[in-house]
Amino acid sequence: MKKPIRKAVLPVAGLGTRFLPATKAIPKEMLTVVDRPILQHVVDEAREAGIEHFIFVTGRNKGVIEDHFDSSYELEDTLKRRGKAVEYAALMADLPAPGATSFTRQQAPLGLGHAVWCAREIVGDEPFAVLLPDMVTKSGPRGGRCLVQCVEAYDQHGGNVMAVEEVPPQETHQYGIVAVGRDDGHTFEITGMVEKPKPGSAPSNLIITGRYILQPEIFQILELVEKGAGGEVQLTDGMIQLARTQSFHGVRFDGRTYDCGSRLGFLSANIAFALDRSDLAPGLKEALRSFGFVSKGV
Ligand code: UTP
């Protein structure tokens, strides 16, 4: 019997150096895609996948994240007194249940692997999800955002699971790449992983995109793993060791992923999510036309 995936780790302790100066005083996870913080979109995705407990690995200057997932008495009271029932209901719907969030600190940004390891005591001895909170996803034809499809793959295969996406072969050296074994088209067995392979040496053009289901044995490995690329403790290096004893499967996510840690991904996400909104799409299309963009559907 597979243990259900109840807990998710959201590492939010990075410095966001690719997005300066915006991220000097504001955590990049709190920048907004339309009118919701990037991190709220990611928590929405985790909730959709059935996650019940959200573990945020934070750092200094990230206190506003904890405030965002708490109630805001003055604001709620004012909305109620002014009869803003819709706005009040929306705030309440986003509020996590009491006790459904935990916050722990990564004292220094020593890498994603180290950030995940910082959550070990709160996760305990059960499989869990990891969501990189600067990636936001939109569901594709199969339905469900990316973590939903990962949980479905876990229900099918068990073990460890991660989402992947195709990139042009000349870009593989920038990412973690997987090697493909037995393959049913949507999910496949992962027979190898490599972090930032030398140009021309990648085993495929499938990159690891930031949604994982991991078994708790990863924590003992991360405790001992040496610093890797960029002088950081890499999650991929830990997963390579875990793959010696446990199965890993990849999920070809059929929706769209936006890397909101990069300026272009962030801008693209804002346009894509706004075009989905009936209150914003007509005005935005008009604005895009006025900039000289005339393309299919806009
Ligand atoms: P990134 O490398 O994309 O985030 O890590 P970063 O370090 O904040 O960004 P840049 O590259 O300097 O612009 C992916 C996720 O892992 C978290 C980040 O907060 C981000 O959400 N992370 C990364 C940590 O929590 N701790 C770390 O030591 C590194």
Side-chain angles (χ1 to χ4, degrees):
M1 198 25 201
K2 290 179 205 89
K3 285 190 182 170
I5 308 300
R6 301 185 313 115
K7 297 181 182 176
V9 175
L10 298 106
V12 288
L15 298 178
T17 56
R18 282 175 293 157
F19 223 131
L20 286 167
T23 48
K24 189 175 170 196
I26 301 169
K28 80 172 164 189
E29 299 82 6
M30 292 305 289
L31 300 177
T32 59
V33 170
V34 190
D35 51 11
R36 295 171 85 67
I38 294 169
L39 188 54
Q40 181 71 61
H41 285 281
V42 178
V43 165
D44 295 344
E45 176 181 334
R47 273 182 163 177
E48 187 190 339
I51 298 298
E52 297 165 7
H53 194 106
F54 306 89
I55 303 163
F56 299 90
V57 181
T58 71
R60 281 180 293 287
N61 303 326
K62 302 271 183 171
V64 67
I65 292 177
E66 200 161 341
D67 293 341
H68 178 77
F69 291 102
D70 194 1
S71 60
S72 171
Y73 175 75
E74 295 82 352
L75 183 58
E76 290 158 17
D77 187 55
T78 305
L79 290 176
K80 271 197 279 190
R81 277 190 292 105
R82 294 189 184 161
K84 299 204 165 197
V86 175
E87 289 82 353
Y88 176 77
L91 272 193
M92 291 297 105
D94 285 343
L95 193 64
T101 53
S102 295
F103 296 84
T104 186
R105 283 225 178 172
Q106 184 190 27
Q107 286 101 338
L110 299 178
L112 177 60
H114 182 262
V116 171
W117 178 73
C118 288
R120 66 197 179 284
E121 294 291 342
I122 307 172
V123 171
D125 188 26
E126 59 181 280
F128 61 101
V130 176
L131 297 100
L132 295 200
D134 44 6
M135 313 295 286
V136 293
T137 73
K138 272 169 56 130
S139 51
R142 286 186 86 91
R145 279 175 272 189
C146 191
L147 191 67
V148 175
Q149 297 192 11
C150 290
V151 170
E152 284 166 4
Y154 169 79
D155 290 341
Q156 189 185 347
H157 298 292
N160 302 269
V161 172
M162 70 184 80
V164 302
E165 260 173 53
E166 270 184 37
V167 295
Q170 64 275 17
E171 292 179 14
T172 50
H173 65 282
Q174 304 169 38
Y175 301 100
I177 307 288
V178 296
V180 180
R182 227 171 337 104
D183 192 350
D184 73 20
H186 179 53
T187 65
F188 59 90
E189 185 190 10
I190 293 177
T191 53
M193 286 171 254
V194 52
E195 185 65 36
K196 299 190 175 64
K198 291 201 177 71
S201 70
S204 75
N205 64 340
L206 294 173
I207 65 166
I208 303 171
T209 57
R211 299 291 185 263
Y212 313 79
I213 307 284
L214 294 172
Q215 296 295 323
E217 288 75 19
I218 191 75
F219 292 125
Q220 290 119 44
I221 293 172
L222 289 173
E223 186 156 355
L224 300 174
V225 84
E226 304 273 320
K227 285 183 183 163
E232 296 189 333
V233 177
Q234 297 289 346
L235 183 59
T236 307
D237 291 341
M239 294 192 301
I240 289 169
Q241 287 195 38
L242 186 59
R244 292 180 192 146
T245 54
Q246 294 190 7
S247 74
F248 273 77
H249 283 84
V251 177
R252 288 186 183 85
F253 175 52
D254 67 344
R256 283 287 301 265
T257 303
Y258 300 89
D259 176 7
C260 293
S262 79
R263 291 171 175 84
L264 198 56
F266 174 78
L267 292 170
S268 307
N270 268 287
I271 292 173
F273 279 70
L275 286 173
D276 278 350
R277 290 258 301 248
S278 57
D279 57 333
L280 296 173
L284 179 59
K285 285 179 186 173
E286 198 45 52
L288 291 172
R289 275 191 219 106
S290 77
F291 298 155
F293 294 107
V294 182
S295 67
K296 46 181 171 78
V298 176

